[in-house]
Amino acid sequence: MAHKINDDCIACGSCLPECPVNAISEGDIYAIDAATCTDCAACVGVCPSDAIHQA
Ligand code: SF4
């Protein structure tokens, strides 16, 4: 399992420094590398758009 960022992402960057395994990459909307994500959920609470959910 991994977490996923949906279209509600506003590319604010809040989640980026929270990920302990650097699974999040920048873009028009941010993305989580499913192969790297450990499903820790550290990024979920910092997203102001509630765009990060378990895939
Ligand atoms: Fe990184 Fe944890 Fe978010 Fe996965 S759930 S992208 S490991 S912070």
Side-chain angles (χ1 to χ4, degrees), residues 3 18-21 23-24 32 37-43:
H3 276 65
E18 301 301 323
C19 182
V21 294
I24 303 173
I32 294 173
C37 176
T38 61
D39 233 9
C40 73
C43 54

Side-chain angles (χ1 to χ4, degrees), residues 26-38:
E26 293 178 60
D28 290 339
I29 63 171
Y30 280 44
I32 294 173
D33 177 18
T36 305
C37 176
T38 61

Side-chain angles (χ1 to χ4, degrees), residues 5-12 14 44-53:
I5 299 174
N6 68 28
D7 290 348
D8 291 334
C9 174
I10 57 171
C12 70
S14 298
V44 174
V46 299
C47 179
S49 298
D50 193 28
I52 309 177
H53 298 276

